[in-house]
Amino acid sequence: MKKISAFFLLLTMVFFVSCSGTKTITNKKTKTPFVWEAASVYFLMTDRFNNGDPSNDLNFDRNKKTGKLRGFEGGDIIGISKKIDEGYFDKLGINAIWFTPIVEQIHDAVDEGTGLSYAFHGYWARDWTALDPNFGTKEDLAALVKKAHAHGIRIILDGVINHTGPVTAADTVWPSDWVRTGPQCDYKSFETTTACTLVKNLPDIKTESAQEVSLPPFLIKKWKKEGRYEKEVASLDAFFERTGYARTPKNYIIKWLTDYITEYGIDGYRADTVKHTEASVWADFKTQCDYAFANWKKNNPSQVFDNNPFYTIAEVYNYSISAGKYFDFGDKKVNYYDNGFNNMINFEFKWDAKKDYEFIFSKYSKILNEELKGSSVLNYLSSHDDGGPFDAARTKNKETATKLLLSPGLAQVFYGDESARSLIVEGTEGDATLRSFMNWEDIQSNPSTQKALLHWQKLGQFRRDHPSIGAGIHKEITAQPYTFSRTFSKGSFADQVVIGLDLPIGKKELSVGTIFAEGTKLKDAYSGKETTVSNEKISIETDFDIVLLEYSQKER
């Protein structure tokens, strides 16, 4: 398969020669760079996406009857790999995949008031150094990363440092110098958000502790039984000797998580429950992520994509782009961008999406190109734990795609957004309703699903091929009909597009402003039809209400 970096776009050298904005454009072939600030990230729950290996569906006697959608459903790493092989993500224009944690989970189930639950979601770690057999093996992970990279797709793992898994009859509590078991957070201040447990029976790692600790006895016993105790201890000794870090709880976990970079060359981490630890935890984490990534590149020169750095995304629950670089705890403001993060998940986007296109696009372009320049946000409209998605009933699938995929910033496609997977499942409790198995059957046989998917694919591929959409500067050209441009440059690379939305079906005339020179041949990537610029306008006849204008192949 071709890597994304092998797709060819036009290189334009843009010169502003007068206050009127007139431009001289020189055409030249160049490769499209991967730009993190323009990435399309597919977020999936490992256990709920695709079952590639049914033989690993049951482990650790996890056979108790659970609440609806509260047990393991069979999805695994091999299942993700198979969809990479099939080109599913390529057709969607995806260039980064983030999936829920795959480290070994607690073995037993617990009831948090929503029915008996196993750790199918991956956020209840038992052993950070091992993969949970329900998800697959380390060989499976290595194969997945290589397959993804062969398709030009980056891999983002999900990292948890804040807490362990719940305590059960089979899963003993970690030592008291590692964790606290109370009080529960009340979120009224910084301290009562960090030095506390998120919920009952979810031991909180003492990430603020400067006290050196020994390995938990249960982990020593486990590693000895598995025949890897000496190897793990030697690796820990080497890490602490190299870094000079104290053997505190958070530093052990930082070491264990960054090992996945050193061993497999993953490209990024999404960090879970970031606001529930001190910001310095993540600064140290990023330092070691960068070291591990550089080390992997050094040891695997033939597998290196480019010079992009290791990428980190923070889940600071309820952070909004309007807050800029700071999250406000009430009694304290914290800048997580200055403490190890390239990106923050934007919880505001689902509210902004209720407004018109120009409001969203101009707002996001302004903030990202001014206050947050050099950083970005990850926009989403549904997720695994947000009970108020933009389109819970799945009646606005086309609008969801258009607003999400054409907005400045990174776009998070939650598995099933593109196929209108139901977010309302009868008989479920709490967030289980958001976590049904991927609706592959609908994609195979339902014409309305296939039509919806095609819209996501067209927009997704256009977004992937044009970094200007996610990382560029937005400018409205005309309000009626609604047309706008996006322009982006980085080094010697430049990219520009013009897009029209809510257009009449059939023949339409659009202004392209001064983005494209007189006589330039353009292609509408949505319909596949071509047109030519005349007097700063184009005329085109299509069966769609959207036009995605780019240089035609003849101009490249």
Side-chain angles (χ1 to χ4, degrees):
M1 297 296 295
K2 292 182 180 179
K3 291 184 178 180
I4 291 175
S5 59
F7 284 95
F8 286 96
L9 287 177
L10 180 73
L11 172 61
T12 66
M13 299 304 294
V14 181
F15 301 94
F16 291 87
V17 298
S18 75
C19 294
S20 63
T22 304
K23 301 173 185 177
T24 300
I25 298 176
T26 302
N27 296 344
K28 184 179 179 182
K29 287 183 179 180
T30 189
K31 295 179 181 179
T32 306
F34 173 80
V35 178
W36 269 113
E37 290 76 20
S40 296
V41 181
Y42 194 91
F43 169 40
L44 62 90
M45 298 199 73
T46 310
D47 178 66
R48 300 296 162 88
F49 185 65
N50 188 39
N51 192 346
D53 181 12
S55 70
N56 65 20
D57 288 357
L58 179 62
N59 294 281
F60 305 127
D61 296 320
R62 290 171 172 151
N63 52 18
K64 295 178 180 177
K65 183 175 176 58
T66 65
K68 189 165 186 177
L69 291 179
R70 291 283 173 188
F72 284 89
E73 297 278 326
D76 48 34
I77 296 168
I78 290 178
I80 304 170
S81 288
K82 287 184 175 180
K83 290 302 175 181
I84 294 174
D85 284 337
E86 292 173 13
Y88 183 77
F89 300 105
D90 297 328
K91 292 176 184 176
L92 269 178
I94 296 300
N95 47 21
I97 300 173
W98 152 34
F99 45 93
T100 48
I102 51 176
V103 301
E104 186 173 326
Q105 301 293 291
I106 63 169
H107 296 185
D108 208 348
V110 295
D111 190 341
E112 296 182 300
T114 53
L116 201 64
S117 298
Y118 281 111
F120 68 89
H121 44 68
Y123 294 101
W124 291 346
R126 185 61 175 167
D127 183 354
W128 276 271
T129 70
L131 295 197
D132 195 290
N134 270 76
F135 303 136
T137 66
K138 290 191 172 183
E139 290 74 21
D140 296 338
L141 178 59
L144 179 143
V145 174
K146 288 182 179 179
K147 287 177 185 290
H149 286 178
H151 284 249
I153 298 171
R154 269 68 177 173
I155 294 297
I156 302 169
L157 291 190
D158 202 322
V160 183
I161 300 179
N162 173 66
H163 58 270
T164 70
V167 180
T168 75
D171 305 285
T172 56
V173 67
W174 287 60
S176 60
D177 53 0
W178 274 79
V179 302
R180 61 173 60 83
T181 55
Q184 281 185 237
C185 301
D186 65 18
Y187 311 109
K188 294 179 179 179
S189 66
F190 178 78
E191 184 176 356
T192 61
T193 302
T194 57
C196 48
T197 66
L198 294 178
V199 296
K200 185 179 180 180
N201 193 22
L202 193 67
D204 181 69
I205 296 288
K206 292 182 175 179
T207 52
E208 80 289 357
S209 176
Q211 178 185 347
E212 294 206 335
V213 297
S214 301
L215 286 167
F218 84 85
L219 206 55
I220 294 173
K221 181 179 179 180
K222 178 179 184 292
W223 289 353
K224 286 183 176 180
K225 183 178 180 181
E226 295 169 352
R228 58 190 180 98
Y229 172 73
E230 289 77 12
K231 179 182 177 181
E232 294 295 342
V233 169
S235 182
L236 283 167
D237 289 343
F239 173 81
F240 287 115
E241 181 178 357
R242 174 182 64 80
T243 61
Y245 287 174
R247 293 178 182 251
T248 60
K250 62 109 171 172
N251 288 334
Y252 278 97
I253 301 174
I254 287 174
K255 187 272 180 192
W256 293 332
L257 288 176
T258 54
D259 278 349
Y260 291 94
I261 307 171
T262 303
E263 293 179 35
Y264 306 105
I266 65 165
D267 308 279
Y269 257 114
R270 176 267 191 185
D272 181 67
T273 54
V274 166
K275 73 177 183 181
H276 298 284
T277 69
E278 304 66 33
S280 61
V281 170
W282 305 105
D284 289 342
F285 179 61
K286 184 60 158 60
T287 296
Q288 296 311 314
C289 283
D290 289 343
Y291 176 89
F293 199 46
N295 197 37
W296 180 82
K297 285 184 172 182
K298 178 181 177 181
N299 294 329
N300 300 275
S302 64
Q303 298 180 49
V304 176
F305 272 146
D306 49 38
N307 292 323
N308 272 296
F310 192 82
Y311 202 73
T312 49
I313 302 172
E315 185 231 9
V316 176
Y317 208 87
N318 284 334
Y319 164 80
S320 64
I321 189 174
S322 294
K325 290 195 170 185
Y326 290 88
F327 181 80
D328 191 351
F329 286 87
D331 63 336
K332 181 177 182 178
K333 290 184 178 181
V334 177
N335 183 338
Y336 290 101
Y337 286 106
D338 283 353
N339 281 277
F341 287 104
N342 304 106
N343 184 290
M344 302 263 280
I345 296 177
N346 176 29
F347 289 78
E348 184 178 4
F349 187 73
K350 68 174 186 175
W351 304 111
D352 285 337
K354 296 180 179 181
K355 300 179 181 179
D356 63 74
Y357 293 117
E358 180 57 24
F359 172 87
I360 304 167
F361 299 161
S362 60
K363 171 182 175 177
Y364 279 60
S365 178
K366 178 178 175 60
I367 295 174
L368 290 171
N369 284 287
E370 293 181 7
E371 185 174 2
L372 294 183
K373 190 171 180 61
S375 303
S376 195
V377 295
L378 179 63
N379 300 319
Y380 76 91
L381 289 176
S382 67
S383 79
H384 64 319
D385 60 4
D386 188 330
F390 170 70
D391 181 26
R394 297 297 202 190
T395 58
K396 298 182 286 188
N397 190 267
K398 182 179 179 181
E399 180 185 353
T400 297
T402 305
K403 288 181 173 176
L404 178 65
L405 297 179
L406 296 184
S407 286
L410 279 73
Q412 172 198 296
V413 179
F414 183 46
Y415 79 107
D417 279 349
E418 73 278 20
S419 55
R421 176 181 60 85
S422 178
L423 298 178
I424 301 174
V425 181
E426 187 177 351
T428 57
E429 295 283 346
D431 53 21
T433 191
L434 307 170
R435 304 174 176 187
S436 60
F437 207 85
M438 181 65 176
N439 57 332
W440 295 115
E441 186 175 336
D442 290 336
I443 290 174
Q444 292 295 323
S445 60
N446 188 318
S448 63
T449 302
Q450 293 167 351
K451 181 179 179 181
L453 178 60
L454 183 59
H455 180 65
W456 284 82
Q457 290 172 335
K458 288 181 177 182
L459 291 183
Q461 290 178 39
F462 189 69
R463 177 186 169 89
R464 175 196 61 200
D465 294 344
H466 295 285
S468 58
I469 296 174
I473 296 173
H474 169 86
K475 182 178 180 181
E476 183 182 57
I477 298 174
T478 60
Q480 291 294 333
Y482 180 56
T483 60
F484 60 90
S485 65
R486 294 281 169 80
T487 56
F488 171 80
S489 62
K490 184 176 183 179
S492 61
F493 175 82
D495 176 48
Q496 51 275 319
V497 297
V498 170
I499 297 171
L501 300 175
D502 293 339
L503 306 174
I505 302 298
K507 190 173 182 178
K508 37 205 161 248
E509 187 176 77
L510 304 177
S511 173
V512 297
T514 58
I515 296 297
F516 300 115
E518 178 76 10
T520 301
K521 294 186 182 301
L522 301 177
K523 176 185 175 182
D524 168 26
Y526 202 89
S527 67
K529 292 190 174 183
E530 295 194 348
T531 184
T532 302
V533 177
S534 176
N535 296 321
E536 298 186 359
K537 295 181 179 180
I538 62 98
S539 179
I540 194 167
E541 185 171 353
T542 76
D543 295 329
F544 309 104
D545 63 355
I546 181 172
V547 169
L548 308 173
L549 295 173
E550 61 185 5
Y551 288 102
S552 73
Q553 290 292 334
K554 298 173 184 176
E555 292 286 318
R556 296 184 182 184

